[in-house]
Amino acid sequence: MSVHPRLVRLDPQTRARLHAAAEAFEVPAELIAGVLIDEHARLDRWDAMQDVAVRFGLRLPGPVAAGWWRLLGGCCGRPVDSFSLGRAQMKPETLRHLGRLGYVDVPATPDALWRMLLDDRLAERLVAACLRATVDHWAAGGVAILHRPDVLGTLYSLGLTGANGVHAHPVANARGEGIARWASWLSTQGVLTGQAPQR
């Protein structure tokens, strides 16, 4: 997936996963894609190295892996369980929270959970589950935000409510506005249907 508008292409499998996730969680496919494009654009070498290091550790046998996790956490100055992982750049605790709320089935062990976050085929579903959880949380507080892609894009990186909790006048940040622009662009360009205009 490229982040330049003229080069955005989604292969058929990615499009299928986007539409399946959108249908399962009743959130717009273009918003899911917009979040993933934003995460891809912000992925730096450090994020990529974390993914590689965790993938490496998951291939090690138990006792060796335990030493690797300690070493990796010591080098990074924080435990591996606090890393944002995979295409969705989701933290393990966010995934656990989604599991506790019943949006996804989450494995019990840290290594299985990290594998889930690193599975590229699950990114669309994880993003969609997080967006739906956010919509439902705000709806329970009497505030409808499903049709506010800028706010949902903002909250994807901040958590269900951000620092201010549920309130009647949520405000998007620049990141959320950028995600909303991606979603709007994707909805008009045929990218999600495989009918993108020829350049």
Side-chain angles (χ1 to χ4, degrees):
M1 181 183 303
S2 170
V3 296
H4 190 284
R6 291 182 178 272
L7 299 177
V8 170
R9 299 283 187 270
L10 302 177
D11 61 54
Q13 294 80 14
T14 301
R15 286 198 305 273
R17 290 194 303 267
L18 279 167
H19 290 295
E23 183 177 346
F25 292 98
E26 299 180 332
V27 293
E30 59 269 18
L31 180 57
I32 301 167
V35 167
L36 287 169
I37 289 172
D38 177 75
E39 291 295 351
H40 180 77
R42 293 172 184 278
L43 199 69
D44 60 20
R45 288 182 189 167
W46 181 247
D47 296 320
M49 285 171 52
Q50 286 180 347
D51 280 8
V52 168
V54 173
R55 287 182 197 277
F56 174 77
L58 289 170
R59 292 196 303 265
L60 298 173
V64 179
W68 175 251
W69 301 132
R70 285 193 299 274
L71 175 64
L72 186 57
C75 290
C76 294
R78 59 195 176 98
V80 175
D81 208 47
S82 70
F83 293 0
S84 295
L85 297 171
R87 287 177 52 227
Q89 282 295 284
M90 185 174 284
K91 292 184 186 304
E93 184 50 38
T94 301
L95 182 55
R96 289 188 187 97
H97 187 64
L98 292 174
R100 288 191 294 271
L101 293 173
Y103 291 97
V104 290
D105 292 327
V106 178
T109 63
D111 59 336
L113 187 140
W114 299 338
R115 285 181 202 280
M116 186 175 182
L117 290 171
L118 289 166
D119 187 340
D120 288 344
R121 300 164 300 178
L122 296 179
E124 292 82 6
R125 190 166 182 81
L126 296 178
V127 170
C130 190
L131 294 172
R132 172 44 61 185
T134 306
V135 167
D136 291 348
H137 185 80
W138 282 70
V143 182
I145 60 171
L146 179 59
H147 300 295
R148 289 289 310 273
D150 56 337
V151 170
L152 281 167
T154 298
L155 293 171
Y156 183 80
S157 63
L158 298 180
L160 288 178
T161 64
N164 298 320
V166 174
H167 56 96
H169 303 289
V171 177
N173 63 16
R175 183 171 186 179
E177 290 170 355
I179 290 171
R181 283 193 298 275
W182 272 115
S184 176
W185 183 85
L186 287 163
S187 70
T188 63
Q189 296 300 307
V191 175
L192 297 180
T193 62
Q195 304 297 317
Q198 298 299 312
R199 301 284 182 197

